[in-house]
Amino acid sequence: MDVKNSSMISEFVLLGLTSTWELEIFFFCIFLLAYAAIMAGNLLIVIMVTCDSHLHSKPMYFLLGNLSFLDMSISTITTPKMITDFLREKKTISLWGCMAQMFFLHFLGGSEMTLLIVMAVDRYIAICKPLHYTSIMSRRVLVGSVLLSWAVGFVHTMSQMVFTVTLPFCGPNVVDDIFCDLPLVIKLACTETYVLELLVIADSGLLSFTCFTLLLISYTVILVTVRRGSSGGLSRALSTLSAHITVVTLFFGPCIFIYTWPFSSLSMDKFLSVFYSVITPLLNPIIYTLRNQEMKSAMSRVRTQHTSSIHTF
């Protein structure tokens, strides 16, 4: 037993995006700026939703604030580590640090998928049942929906991690990715993991596919319902839904691709990892702020209030 314990590895080696020093410096600058933009953009949305009284009465922005918080969290789990690794010759992460990274990635990722469904339901009620919108989407319903999304994410990650943390790792410890990717880490275990690999693929793939299908159905029903009304109603609906549909496509496209693509490609896996942890959290606040007039108005109001308070003092 002592011999077995002494042979257990205590860390994993992450190969990252490249081993070329010039490219690592280039990527360091690019991803440092990207992470700063991610934090600034999503934090701006959270602040606007929190500080602007006009947005408090609109349930969509409460959900949008939670989406931005999840985006910041997902990026923070992976991006700072990736940025600092660009300056290190040996890129390592502790065994339990790797487990924590995988736990929170699947926890927050599952929560975000579910939250996007809640946002689709919110848009359906707002567009198709506008007279009952405020009564249906009450504060209690909103908080309950957000808590449900977190609960789904927790069940999703626990259903995989409860088996992963008990695996023995005593052999190879090299993960060819920018962070601890669950399917890649499982393959390094010193035991048969075929069933667990199938479980991970089925669990994550089924959750992604189910959520994406429900979202597709929801937005289709909205457009069909509005189409039966006026052409002006369709135009307003398309304007309202365009940002949501774009975000959904950006989030679920790479996620489904990772778990359903039949051909394994390490370069494609790394690209999708970067897309999922950096590009999507970066684009979400851009989409919602640049295409949303109410958000622009809220920023203008907060800026005016801040300027007025400075002049007062």
Side-chain angles (χ1 to χ4, degrees):
M1 189 69 175
D2 293 336
V3 174
K4 183 178 179 180
N5 286 337
S6 63
S7 64
M8 293 295 177
I9 64 173
S10 60
E11 63 182 18
F12 291 99
V13 177
L14 302 173
L15 294 186
L17 291 177
T18 181
S19 58
T20 305
W21 175 247
E22 290 78 9
L23 283 177
E24 288 190 326
I25 295 299
F26 173 76
F27 285 140
F28 171 81
C29 298
I30 293 296
F31 286 111
L32 181 61
L33 293 174
Y35 181 65
I38 289 169
M39 297 304 293
N42 285 287
L43 190 59
L44 176 64
I45 291 178
V46 173
I47 292 174
M48 291 300 104
V49 173
T50 304
C51 298
D52 187 75
S53 59
H54 292 78
L55 299 182
H56 291 170
S57 60
K58 300 180 182 295
M60 183 186 78
Y61 293 100
F62 175 79
L63 300 175
L64 178 58
N66 281 273
L67 179 67
S68 293
F69 175 77
L70 289 172
D71 279 335
M72 285 191 296
S73 301
I74 290 175
S75 185
T76 299
I77 292 170
T78 58
T79 310
K81 168 66 176 169
M82 177 178 61
I83 291 172
T84 56
D85 279 347
F86 285 130
L87 303 180
R88 296 174 180 169
E89 184 176 353
K90 188 176 182 182
K91 307 168 178 59
T92 61
I93 183 171
S94 67
L95 174 63
W96 288 107
C98 183
M99 295 297 167
Q101 195 176 63
M102 293 186 294
F103 173 87
F104 284 108
L105 275 175
H106 284 264
F107 174 36
L108 297 171
S111 299
E112 185 161 343
M113 290 182 195
T114 312
L115 185 62
L116 289 173
I117 295 178
V118 175
M119 295 178 73
V121 173
D122 171 79
R123 289 300 83 202
Y124 168 78
I125 298 174
I127 294 173
C128 300
K129 301 180 183 294
L131 298 179
H132 305 284
Y133 179 57
T134 55
S135 60
I136 295 176
M137 299 301 293
S138 63
R139 192 71 176 181
R140 182 178 179 181
V141 171
L142 285 173
V143 173
S145 299
V146 171
L147 291 177
L148 176 63
S149 69
W150 285 78
V152 170
F154 182 77
V155 172
H156 166 62
T157 193
M158 285 299 294
S159 65
Q160 302 173 95
M161 293 305 300
V162 70
F163 300 107
T164 305
V165 296
T166 60
L167 290 175
F169 294 95
C170 54
N173 67 335
V174 177
V175 180
D176 194 2
D177 210 331
I178 60 174
F179 55 76
C180 286
D181 187 27
L182 187 55
L184 295 180
V185 172
I186 289 176
K187 292 179 180 180
L188 300 178
C190 320
T191 185
E192 177 57 50
T193 59
Y194 179 73
V195 175
L196 183 55
E197 289 177 41
L198 288 181
L199 172 65
V200 169
I201 293 175
D203 191 336
S204 298
L206 182 61
L207 178 63
S208 303
F209 181 76
T210 301
C211 291
F212 183 76
T213 302
L214 290 175
L215 285 165
L216 188 62
I217 293 173
S218 299
Y219 288 127
T220 302
V221 170
I222 293 173
L223 295 177
V224 170
T225 302
V226 175
R227 185 176 177 82
R228 293 173 181 172
S230 62
S231 58
L234 178 60
S235 177
R236 289 192 300 272
L238 288 174
S239 176
T240 304
L241 292 177
S242 59
H244 293 275
I245 294 175
T246 303
V247 168
V248 166
T249 303
L250 288 173
F251 184 88
F252 283 96
C255 191
I256 293 176
F257 194 83
I258 288 174
Y259 289 100
T260 59
W261 184 247
F263 306 105
S264 177
S265 172
L266 291 176
S267 59
M268 182 61 70
D269 287 344
K270 291 182 181 181
F271 169 78
L272 293 175
S273 296
V274 171
F275 192 94
Y276 184 72
S277 59
V278 178
I279 305 300
T280 300
L282 178 63
L283 291 179
N284 283 356
I286 296 176
I287 293 170
Y288 280 115
T289 53
L290 294 183
R291 297 177 62 89
N292 191 303
Q293 188 58 45
E294 288 185 328
M295 187 63 69
K296 292 179 182 178
S297 300
M299 287 188 286
S300 178
R301 286 191 296 269
V302 171
R303 189 185 307 113
T304 302
Q305 293 172 3
H306 180 68
T307 303
S308 299
S309 62
I310 292 177
H311 288 164
T312 300
F313 287 102

